[in-house]
Amino acid sequence: MSNGASAAEEQASSKSGRKSFVDLSVGQVFKATERIRWWNIFLAALATGDFNPLHWNPFFARRHELKGIIAHGILTTGVISKAFGSSLFVPGVKVLNINIEFKRPVYAGDKVSLVMEVKEIRFADLPMVRFNVAVVNPNVKVVCQGTVLVAVPY
C-alpha cells in the first residue's frame, strides 16, 4: 500500500474489477459498450451549443444522405472518456491527450462498442499509458479511432 491507497480502496477496486497502473501490460485489451440515445444527443446540444440540424432534425439529416439524426463527435469521444473516468479504471485517471479521427456517423439508438489496447507504458512525473482506441457501430464498422494518453493511479 505504498501508493497511498487505503486497504478499503484497494479492496473496492479489486472487487469492482477496475484496473490501476500496476494491473496493466502492453497488448492488454479492454472493451465497453454504450447505447447512444436521442436524449444524449439533445443534452450534448444543450451542453455545447451545437444545434446543427444534423443532430436534431431527421428530415434535414436524410436530405444530407444520412439515415437519421447523428450524435455529436463529443458523444462518441464521451464513450472513451467514460471508460477511463468511471467504468474500467480506478478513480483518479487523468486524460492527458486524445487524438481521434472520425470515420462514420453514429446514429441515435446505435449501440457502439469501444475497444482499447494498451500500446505503451511509461514513467514520467506520473505513470502514463498510451492506448489505441476504436469505437465501432452495430455493423462492426469503425466510427472513430485514435490514441489516448492517460495518467493512471498505482
Side-chain angles (χ1 to χ4, degrees):
M1 285 195 288
S2 61
N3 65 2
S6 71
E9 288 171 327
E10 286 185 10
Q11 186 177 21
S13 334
S14 67
K15 284 183 181 177
S16 71
R18 291 180 169 192
K19 304 296 183 195
S20 69
F21 183 77
V22 296
D23 299 319
L24 300 177
S25 59
V26 172
Q28 202 169 9
V29 175
F30 299 93
K31 297 180 180 182
T33 59
E34 186 77 26
R35 184 165 308 277
I36 305 296
R37 302 188 190 283
W38 69 266
W39 48 266
N40 298 119
I41 297 170
F42 175 74
L43 291 173
L46 287 176
T48 64
D50 179 355
F51 290 98
N52 181 328
L54 294 174
H55 301 306
W56 60 267
N57 185 328
F59 303 107
F60 184 87
R62 285 189 190 100
R63 279 199 318 264
H64 288 82
E65 302 179 15
L66 297 167
K67 295 186 305 185
I69 64 170
I70 60 172
H72 298 76
I74 197 165
L75 276 176
T76 309
T77 57
V79 172
I80 298 166
S81 180
K82 179 181 177 183
F84 287 110
S86 61
S87 60
L88 294 177
F89 298 94
V90 295
V93 170
K94 295 177 184 118
V95 176
L96 304 173
N97 181 278
I98 296 178
N99 183 8
I100 297 294
E101 180 181 359
F102 296 98
K103 305 251 184 205
R104 291 180 177 78
V106 173
Y107 293 96
D110 278 358
K111 185 175 185 179
V112 295
S113 300
L114 167 65
V115 180
M116 306 184 305
E117 179 185 1
V118 176
K119 204 62 186 162
E120 174 188 8
I121 298 173
R122 65 181 179 189
F123 294 92
D125 293 335
L126 299 168
M128 292 189 276
V129 182
R130 183 172 309 281
F131 289 84
N132 283 343
V133 297
V135 177
V136 298
N137 66 16
N139 299 320
V140 196
K141 297 203 180 216
V142 174
V143 297
C144 73
Q145 65 184 19
T147 61
V148 179
L149 178 65
V150 298
V152 181
Y154 288 100

